[in-house]
Amino acid sequence: MNTVTNGSAPSGDGAAADELDVVIVGAGFSGMYMLYRLRKLGLKSRVFDRATGVGGTWYWNRYPGARCDVESMQYSYSFSQELQQEWRWSEKFSAQPEILDYANHVADRFDLRSDMQFETSIESAHFDEIANRWIVKTDRGEEFKPRYCVMATGCLSSARVPDFPGLKDFSGKTYHTGHWPHEGVDFTGKRVAVIGTGSSAIQAIPVIAEQASHLSVFQRTPNYSIPSRNGPMTDDYEQSWKRDYEAHRADARQTKNGILANPNDQSAIETSADERREVYEQRWADGGTRFMASFNDLATNAESNDTAAEFVREKIRAIVKDTDAAELLAAKDYPIGTKRICVDTRYFETYNLEHVDLIDVRGAPVEHLTQDGLRQGGKDYAFDAIVFATGFDAMTGTLARIDIRGRGGRALKQEWEAGPKTYLGMMSAGFPNMFMVTGPQSPSVLSNMMVSIEQHIDWMADCIGHMETSGHAVIEARPEAQDAWIEHSTEIAYTTLYPKAASWYMGANIPGKPRVFLPYIGGVGRYRAKCDEIAAAGYEGFQLQ
Ligand code: N01
């Protein structure tokens, strides 16, 4: 029997605690859709989230300039025809507040909140091999014993601040982009430091520069970034999607990364220099991540890749007036796209402003924080605020923070010490009835997350539905199927240029994290076909009891 031993649920009183079939961890787009699907199966589920509301990544990442780099017509749910027809986006690439509004709208429209419990962290999940149930404990002292656990914990939800000495000495304000205050921050007249130049920083810097009296950007590794060419949504553009939404969504599901990007199926090096330039110019003018679809071999051929990288470097040199700053901003030591390509609005232009400095910390790291600011390269800088745009412990960090124990009391964290072990990025051998949405070794962060989330949830819901109707109590990945999947996933990664970059895809941003390529790079269309094939073959590679 399940019991509530302490504490009261802040919300989520739809299903009594002792009747839960499924615990879902995370109220982002994954957790919300999972709940929706499980209700249709007649299962009693509850979503838990440490936040005060829905939205996941869009709940936390409220930094100035935060917006999605996938167009909103594509970064949205497709599961409800009514929803996708009725919702109206105001911009091509929507900003965080609008995406959060959308998440709230979905929660209301499908009446999801009654099965959600906020301000609650899941601290542990231990599998009881006798009862075939998970024993899940929260930080409110509650205990649940669901049959299934769904980890909808997101890929980038464990923010990381480097362990700078003197962090506590700084008398000004510090912020992390992934934990931005809900009330916003007014930097007007303030001396501000931004540490990091990844996607978050690249979006935040131009907006912070509009307010700050002085902005210093501390850069370790420059990033390639493409202008977004964002703008208001036009009726024509919206209708071009909505007229035939189902067909567009179906096409996107068969692509490499879940985004309709009009890929050019020509090799960059087999195209003449003039024609190549024309293609890049057009893609640069169009803007966004579609730039990486300029040619078919940018991810696999170093020479081809360098033609795109050099084109972007030339653009940076043309935009940034200070030649030293331009050289610092032009990435040279890793192939373009092998760290997540960034999308910006006037990022490079910001360095032409008098009150914005770029400080190279590659050879001379930030030494420590001081009471007034920080010390770097033997020099003291004074700031009123420091913004850490220093990223996340991606894909595995959040799962590692939960005390997850499977068969024989084995800890997931230990099992994954040398790198995550999954079958299809959805389950891990020894952890029965625990699903991971967009887990490591699935396309996840290399794709339009909405496409990957819906694919995973649909597959998992169908799988759970099958368990229910076929009278099985336990599903578990077979170790040999898992080993083969890991080998396949790793093999494909090494046919590309991706492992050449010290990226968070490789775990390279976290000291001590094993260097393994985390997402599956075989493409969402191919991956979906494989998942469907496995299900159709009676869940091949899984053991059902
Ligand atoms: O984090 P990051 P992010 N001293 O890890 C630097 C998604 N996202 O939050 O590269 C100095 O990319 C670090 O330097 P280096 C998207 O998938 C999407 O920006 O390690 N610098 C790097 O520059 C993205 O990829 C959207 O040398 C230090 C930066 O901090 C992912 O989230 C928007 C340092 C971290 O960059 C993460 O992006 C935003 C140190 N000690 C984010 N430690 C959109 O949809 C770290 N750095 C548009």
Side-chain angles (χ1 to χ4, degrees), residues 57-58 61 63 65-70 75 93 99 156 160-164 176-178 194-203 218-223 334 339-344 361-362 365-366 388-394 445 502-505 508-510:
T57 202
W58 300 105
N61 287 269
Y63 59 85
R67 67 176 69 247
C68 191
D69 59 2
V70 177
Y75 186 88
F93 294 93
I99 302 174
L156 295 155
R160 174 183 174 260
V161 174
D163 196 11
F164 292 121
H176 188 285
T177 47
V194 172
I195 300 182
T197 47
S199 300
S200 302
I202 281 177
Q203 290 185 329
F218 292 84
Q219 171 185 278
R220 187 163 65 189
T221 310
N223 251 303
Y334 63 96
K339 280 181 176 232
R340 167 86 170 209
I341 190 85
C342 299
V343 171
D344 70 275
V361 302
R362 174 163 280 184
V366 172
F388 297 109
T390 44
F392 302 86
D393 186 351
V445 292
S503 66
W504 59 258
Y505 293 143
N509 64 329
I510 304 294

Side-chain angles (χ1 to χ4, degrees), residues 360-380:
D360 178 20
V361 302
R362 174 163 280 184
V366 172
E367 290 160 38
H368 57 86
L369 267 62
T370 61
Q371 193 186 345
D372 294 332
L374 61 80
R375 188 171 176 81
Q376 178 273 338
K379 192 173 162 194
D380 286 317

Side-chain angles (χ1 to χ4, degrees), residues 301-342:
N301 183 309
E303 212 185 318
S304 290
N305 183 286
D306 201 49
T307 63
E310 187 52 30
F311 176 85
V312 173
R313 287 191 286 264
E314 278 175 29
K315 287 289 180 196
I316 296 169
R317 290 178 188 121
I319 296 169
V320 180
K321 292 186 184 130
D322 180 312
T323 50
D324 291 342
E327 275 322 301
L328 274 179
L329 289 163
K332 298 179 193 79
D333 58 1
Y334 63 96
I336 185 169
T338 56
K339 280 181 176 232
R340 167 86 170 209
I341 190 85
C342 299

